[in-house]
Amino acid sequence: MHVKQEYEVRLDLFQGPLDLLLYLVEKSEVNIIDIKVSQIAAQYSACLDLMLELHHELNIDVAGEYLRMAAVLMRLKSRELLPDSLPEEGLETSEGEIYNREQLIEQLLEYKKFKEAAGTLKAFELKQYGTAARGKTEEIENVSSEQNDEVVLGNISVFDLLSAFQTILKRADENIDPSHVVEVDNCRIDDRIEHILSMITDRGGEVHFEELFGTDRRRIVLVVTFMAILELVKMGQIGFRQQYAFGAIFVSKAFETKYTE
């Protein structure tokens, strides 16, 4: 049963298809130049299916970027599996398009280079934040989360959250009894937000990501709970901790920064 939600998850939480591809490559622990298109295409497709399920009110322009990349991967997968059936000669290419595995790798390497450079500049900015030349007091403007479009997740990415959620959905699907029909109650995001914040408080300020979903394994409850987590991220209400790459994720309430004159 489809439960209509008066809510929209904006895709500005996601950085784009190349960011997703880079995440999948790094998670697979392979070098970019050694990627197998068939493997990465399957992982990308599974992640895209979940994203589309979550975004009922999807921004079609941004969604188109992910769908177009999916089509590119399917084409490259066909070439990888049947290299002699799809010759590249005679193809009309245009700037920015990806027509072979080498071009995909080139774009990923270029994207990784700029992303790392941006990360270095961001770290420098944070290091310099709050410092001032002698004799001059820096004026700090408190910008509310509504005015600031940047979403801060800590040392994890939104794709880490998606990956963890995929695992939860997979376990739930494996334990479904097809002969058991459950009437789906109305599951509201506001209620799940309150539930999440209360659980974090009751557990001493930090809780394992999977614990937020409780014991109710109905798909609608799991999906709405995850959307509530994304909403809390955008509101700046929760933060995440991950001890090592692709490891367990812990959730806590975000610290509120207060400025005094």
Side-chain angles (χ1 to χ4, degrees), residues 35-52:
I35 64 173
K36 292 184 178 180
V37 176
S38 57
Q39 179 181 354
I40 210 73
Q43 296 173 353
Y44 182 94
S45 178
C47 195
L48 180 59
D49 287 343
L50 179 55
M51 290 170 62
L52 292 175

Side-chain angles (χ1 to χ4, degrees), residues 121-140:
L121 291 174
K122 184 66 176 179
F124 178 77
E125 178 185 356
L126 291 175
K127 185 177 180 180
Q128 297 298 315
Y129 184 76
T131 63
R134 180 177 298 178
K136 180 181 178 181
T137 303
E138 181 181 16
E139 296 182 2
I140 301 177

Side-chain angles (χ1 to χ4, degrees), residues 25-261:
V25 170
E26 292 175 345
K27 187 179 179 183
S28 299
E29 297 183 339
V30 298
N31 193 294
I32 291 179
I33 62 175
D34 298 324
I35 64 173
K36 292 184 178 180
V37 176
S38 57
Q39 179 181 354
I40 210 73
Q43 296 173 353
Y44 182 94
S45 178
C47 195
L48 180 59
D49 287 343
L50 179 55
M51 290 170 62
L52 292 175
E53 180 179 354
L54 292 172
H55 296 279
H56 302 297
E57 303 295 334
L58 198 60
N59 182 307
I60 192 63
D61 293 331
V62 181
E65 296 179 10
Y66 287 91
L67 295 173
R68 190 168 85 171
M69 179 60 75
V72 167
L73 291 174
M74 290 301 103
R75 184 173 68 244
L76 298 185
K77 178 181 177 180
S78 299
R79 287 211 177 97
E80 186 176 78
L81 298 176
L82 302 170
D84 297 330
S85 63
L86 293 171
E88 297 179 13
E89 291 80 1
L91 281 176
E92 294 183 5
T93 61
S94 59
E95 185 178 358
E97 291 292 339
I98 300 174
Y99 289 97
N100 54 50
R101 178 176 176 275
E102 289 69 28
Q103 289 175 329
L104 176 64
I105 290 174
E106 182 181 353
Q107 285 207 14
L108 278 173
L109 289 172
E110 190 75 6
Y111 178 79
K112 181 180 181 181
K113 180 176 68 175
F114 281 106
K115 184 176 181 179
E116 290 175 346
T120 301
L121 291 174
K122 184 66 176 179
F124 178 77
E125 178 185 356
L126 291 175
K127 185 177 180 180
Q128 297 298 315
Y129 184 76
T131 63
R134 180 177 298 178
K136 180 181 178 181
T137 303
E138 181 181 16
E139 296 182 2
I140 301 177
E141 181 181 358
N142 185 8
V143 182
S144 67
S145 59
E146 293 181 356
Q147 294 172 318
N148 188 5
D149 291 333
E150 183 177 5
V151 178
V152 180
L153 289 173
N155 67 331
I156 71 171
S157 75
V158 71
F159 299 122
D160 287 305
L161 298 183
L162 273 178
S163 179
F165 183 53
Q166 278 181 310
T167 301
I168 293 172
L169 285 179
K170 183 178 180 181
R171 291 174 185 168
D173 291 340
E174 290 173 349
N175 296 324
I176 287 178
D177 181 359
S179 64
H180 183 56
V181 179
V182 179
E183 183 68 25
V184 178
D185 299 324
N186 185 28
C187 185
R188 300 176 63 251
I189 288 180
D190 289 344
D191 294 337
R192 301 311 294 174
I193 287 177
E194 184 177 347
H195 167 76
I196 290 168
L197 293 177
S198 296
M199 177 176 286
I200 294 174
T201 300
D202 294 341
R203 299 295 176 86
E206 186 175 72
V207 63
H208 193 285
F209 178 78
E210 292 191 11
E211 291 185 59
L212 296 178
F213 296 87
T215 58
D216 192 335
R217 294 299 168 175
R218 291 175 297 171
R219 194 175 186 88
I220 182 62
V221 176
L222 297 178
V223 169
V224 174
T225 299
F226 186 70
M227 293 175 74
I229 291 172
L230 295 183
E231 173 67 2
L232 286 168
V233 169
K234 291 199 304 177
M235 294 166 59
Q237 293 294 307
I238 58 176
F240 302 90
R241 177 175 66 85
Q242 193 175 40
Q243 292 181 327
Y244 56 90
F246 312 116
I249 298 173
F250 296 89
V251 188
S252 61
K253 287 186 178 179
F255 293 102
E256 295 183 2
T257 303
K258 297 181 179 180
Y259 300 98
T260 57
E261 296 185 7

